[in-house]
Amino acid sequence: MQDGKNLIMAIVLCLLVVVGWSYLADYMGWVVKPDPAEIAKMEAAQAEQAQKAQAEAEAKQKAQAEPLPAFTPAPGVDVTVDAPLYKAVLHSGGGVLRSFELKKYTSGLDEDSPRINMVDPQTAAVAPLGLVINGQPSWSTGKWALESDSGVTVAEGGKGVVRLVGEVDNLRVTRELTFNSENYLISEKVSLATLGTDTRSVRVRYTVAADTSNAANTNYDAMRVAWDNGGSLGEETSTDKLTKEGVEASGKLYWAGPMSTYFLSAVMPGDADEARMVGRMQGSVYRVALEPKEVVVAPGQETTLEVSYWMGPKERKMLAAVSDQLALSVDLGMFSIIAKGLLWLLEFFQQYTHNWGLSIIMLTIVIKAVFWPLTAKSYSSMEKMKKLQPMMSNIREKYKDDKEAMNKEVMALYKTYGVNPASGCVPILVQLPVFFGLYQALLTSIELRHAPFITYLPGTDLIWLADLSSKDPYYITPIIMGITMFLQQKMSPPATDPTQQKIMMFLPIVFTALFLSFPSGLVVYWLVNNILSIAQQWRMGRRSKLLAQYPQADLSGEPAGWFANLVPNSAGPVGSRPMTA
């Protein structure tokens, strides 16, 4: 009996301790209460998980109760899409391209030259525009049916749609391809739905390809695999590497595909993040496959992916209208801002001349006029250095055993006569960005492809400068360019060092050999620039001689300071003597 009382008292005491401790701890602030925001967050997460589980369960029930509409595969047929800029043929058995002819571009200069075909028979054999789903090529392992007409005409200002439905890897796949009339962009929506009752992860890989026939296969127009990774252009031109190893890239891939200097076959995923690209060369065909991150397809639901393709010329305005990233496929080099400005001027002149060769000549004249003062300053500096040569020879002879004293006296000579030895080089260095910008602009401008200047050699029926993007077939312009360069060297003040003189006289031969294979548009620019430089040097040399013969002659019409007399500022250094112009 006593034990029972003790047990009851122990229980009561325990309850008093527990309850009392709770009140005491709460009163004293010893217990930390849960944050209401954290509690709400946890409850929301639990509710979301519960809803997700319930949605999956309902989706499974719905998929079992309401299966996807019946699908009946059909034999593959060719579907023709006739647009103002191109004519495309694709196969309904997966949507792969069989042909893609460009109506505005031909492979040669002859009137009967065939059109450029972005998908020739060699390229069609590797199924460009085909989808690889979970590693399975949809055009060979899937079953397909055409839900649109087999002949689609895209009217000016309109669009045309080709719709295909198929089953691949237990997935219902719908391809809706939209063809534009105003550019070479193909937009696509890929819809995925599982035929089973389980949620699936799906990887979709998009493919493009191009044959080497899309390029002239020269140093200035070669095929390559290219891609844009986070706004940076990547390229691989080595056929050995592409054949043996291939090339891979991953990251934020805006586009990828094979391209030449003037044409591009590219795929642009709707979601560029975490994408992966693989490029290879198979025979004469450059192949590229791009795979964005995988997607989840739940039963009873449809997942839609977006992707676009560019199949056509690299026309800058069209590319820029699609995306800034795609416009980077026209590589204008590190001086792209200058190149864009020069191209704008070139197109401006073309509106009036209607001849790209004449437009290049006018652009060259404008560039020469802008840099005329700098060139004159460089020539004047070289003339001054030439007149200082006798005194410099005396100093070198006198201090041939003391290099430090020699350099000191030479610098004093420069200071005395107000000559800056670098002033002859600086104007040339300033002009180099313009030259490189123009070089890249002319080299990559598709407007110069098959653009004529002087179609026939004068007095003959021989085709001459009928394509400013290709070399002079008879090497006439590069040889004349070499001659003008030699004359320019002869007219320029010779270098003070005999070794430099020999190198300078050898340069025209080197440049002539180099320019033999240059696009004729670039050669025309260089040739006209040389002729203008010769005219400028002749004019400056003539004025300089007049000033030497007639110091009091009125040359007020000339720009001030161009032909100033070379008069010492003070007594010359050791070994020097006063000198007049």
Side-chain angles (χ1 to χ4, degrees):
M1 188 70 177
Q2 185 65 33
D3 292 338
K5 292 180 179 180
N6 292 338
L7 177 61
I8 293 172
M9 289 179 65
I11 293 172
V12 171
L13 288 174
C14 289
L15 289 173
L16 287 173
V17 170
V18 171
V19 174
W21 176 261
S22 299
Y23 279 105
L24 181 62
D26 185 42
Y27 177 76
M28 298 298 293
W30 294 343
V31 177
V32 180
K33 295 182 179 180
D35 187 0
E38 291 294 330
I39 296 176
K41 187 176 181 180
M42 292 175 60
E43 291 177 349
Q46 293 174 355
E48 184 179 354
Q49 291 179 356
Q51 290 177 359
K52 186 176 180 180
Q54 182 179 358
E56 289 182 356
E58 292 177 354
K60 286 186 179 182
Q61 294 178 357
K62 183 178 179 182
Q64 293 173 353
E66 300 179 10
L68 292 173
F71 166 72
T72 304
V77 296
D78 285 343
V79 180
T80 301
V81 179
D82 193 357
L85 298 175
Y86 55 86
K87 182 178 181 181
V89 178
L90 56 88
H91 194 254
S92 64
V96 297
L97 280 173
R98 290 186 179 273
S99 174
F100 201 94
E101 287 187 352
L102 307 181
K103 295 183 178 181
K104 291 174 56 179
Y105 296 90
T106 59
S107 58
L109 296 174
D110 298 334
E111 293 182 359
D112 57 348
S113 293
R115 295 172 177 172
I116 289 290
N117 192 350
M118 300 294 294
V119 181
D120 58 7
Q122 291 80 9
T123 306
V126 300
L129 248 67
L131 302 183
V132 180
I133 300 176
N134 287 337
Q136 298 188 25
S138 64
W139 58 91
S140 59
T141 62
K143 300 177 181 179
W144 292 89
L146 176 66
E147 287 195 349
S148 58
D149 295 334
S150 59
V152 178
T153 300
V154 185
E156 193 75 42
K159 296 181 179 181
V161 177
V162 174
R163 183 179 172 87
L164 305 169
V165 178
E167 290 184 357
V168 183
D169 190 30
N170 206 33
L171 292 165
R172 178 66 56 83
V173 182
T174 303
R175 301 190 68 181
E176 186 176 283
L177 296 143
T178 302
F179 296 83
N180 293 272
S181 63
E182 298 177 352
N183 54 37
Y184 300 89
L185 186 71
I186 304 172
S187 304
E188 179 178 10
K189 289 183 179 179
V190 180
S191 300
L192 304 171
T194 179
L195 298 176
T197 58
D198 296 325
T199 300
R200 299 187 57 188
S201 295
V202 181
R203 294 175 292 107
V204 180
R205 184 177 296 178
Y206 309 99
T207 66
V208 285
D211 187 72
T212 53
S213 60
N214 287 341
N217 296 314
T218 64
N219 291 334
Y220 310 106
D221 185 15
M223 285 296 297
R224 71 210 76 170
V225 170
W227 61 92
D228 184 324
N229 193 345
S232 177
L233 181 65
E235 294 183 348
E236 182 55 63
T237 59
S238 173
T239 56
D240 288 340
K241 181 176 181 179
L242 289 172
T243 301
K244 297 176 182 178
E245 306 173 22
V247 63
E248 295 185 16
S250 59
K252 195 177 184 66
L253 297 177
Y254 291 109
W255 61 266
M259 74 174 187
S260 64
T261 300
Y262 302 117
F263 299 98
L264 171 67
S265 300
V267 54
M268 295 165 282
D271 185 1
D273 293 328
E274 301 178 26
R276 177 174 173 266
M277 180 276 297
V278 176
R280 275 194 172 276
M281 187 173 181
Q282 181 177 331
S284 63
V285 179
Y286 291 74
R287 304 183 67 186
V288 171
L290 190 146
E291 181 181 299
K293 58 185 178 183
E294 65 181 19
V295 295
V296 176
V297 181
Q301 298 179 358
E302 190 174 62
T303 300
T304 301
L305 308 175
E306 293 186 354
V307 65
S308 299
Y309 306 91
W310 182 273
M311 305 287 294
K314 292 159 64 174
E315 295 188 15
R316 295 184 309 279
K317 292 181 179 179
M318 283 190 179
L319 293 170
V322 173
S323 74
D324 293 335
Q325 290 79 25
L326 195 61
L328 290 178
S329 63
V330 181
D331 185 12
L332 295 176
M334 62 185 299
F335 301 109
S336 59
I337 295 178
I338 296 175
K340 289 177 182 177
L342 295 175
L343 281 172
W344 181 87
L345 269 177
L346 194 65
E347 293 172 351
F348 173 78
F349 292 135
Q350 169 65 12
Q351 296 176 6
Y352 299 96
T353 63
H354 304 290
N355 184 297
W356 287 103
L358 292 177
S359 299
I360 291 174
I361 291 175
M362 294 185 69
L363 180 62
T364 308
I365 294 173
V366 169
I367 295 174
K368 193 65 181 177
V370 171
F371 287 110
W372 185 282
L374 284 176
T375 308
K377 185 176 181 180
S378 175
Y379 183 85
S380 177
S381 177
M382 288 188 291
E383 281 288 340
K384 291 180 181 180
M385 291 293 293
K386 179 182 177 182
K387 292 178 180 180
L388 288 179
Q389 184 61 31
M391 285 181 284
M392 293 179 64
S393 298
N394 291 338
I395 293 174
R396 288 194 180 97
E397 181 65 26
K398 184 174 182 178
Y399 297 98
K400 59 183 178 181
D401 297 326
D402 190 347
K403 295 291 185 181
E404 185 177 351
M406 180 194 299
N407 292 333
K408 185 177 180 181
E409 287 298 319
V410 169
M411 294 306 297
L413 181 66
Y414 289 153
K415 184 177 180 181
T416 300
Y417 290 95
V419 175
N420 185 353
S423 61
C425 301
V426 172
I428 297 175
L429 293 176
V430 172
Q431 297 178 59
L432 283 180
V434 175
F435 168 72
F436 287 123
L438 181 61
Y439 169 84
Q440 201 69 17
L442 295 179
L443 189 64
T444 59
S445 179
I446 194 172
E447 289 82 1
L448 296 185
R449 184 183 181 272
H450 292 179
F453 176 31
I454 304 174
T455 305
Y456 298 98
L457 194 64
T460 71
D461 57 355
L462 301 174
I463 295 179
W464 187 29
L465 302 180
D467 182 2
L468 289 172
S469 69
S470 63
K471 67 179 182 180
D472 184 335
Y474 306 110
Y475 307 111
I476 296 174
T477 49
I479 291 175
I480 296 176
M481 185 277 302
I483 294 173
T484 59
M485 196 170 183
F486 177 78
L487 291 175
Q488 192 177 357
Q489 292 285 356
K490 296 293 289 183
M491 294 175 65
S492 300
T496 56
D497 185 12
T499 303
Q500 292 181 7
Q501 293 182 21
K502 293 179 181 179
I503 294 176
M504 295 302 291
M505 295 307 296
F506 188 69
L507 280 180
I509 300 175
V510 175
F511 270 74
T512 301
L514 184 65
F515 274 62
L516 289 176
S517 58
F518 263 35
S520 54
L522 286 169
V523 181
V524 168
Y525 160 74
W526 198 271
L527 172 59
V528 175
N529 183 73
N530 283 355
I531 292 173
L532 294 175
S533 296
I534 289 172
Q536 183 181 19
Q537 288 182 220
W538 175 83
R539 176 185 174 87
M540 293 180 62
R542 181 171 176 270
R543 294 300 183 188
S544 182
K545 289 179 181 179
L546 286 175
L547 278 172
Q549 294 176 6
Y550 307 102
Q552 304 302 322
D554 182 11
L555 298 178
S556 58
E558 298 293 344
W562 284 16
F563 305 105
N565 290 336
L566 189 62
V567 180
N569 298 325
S570 60
V574 177
S576 67
R577 57 185 175 82
M579 178 177 58
T580 57

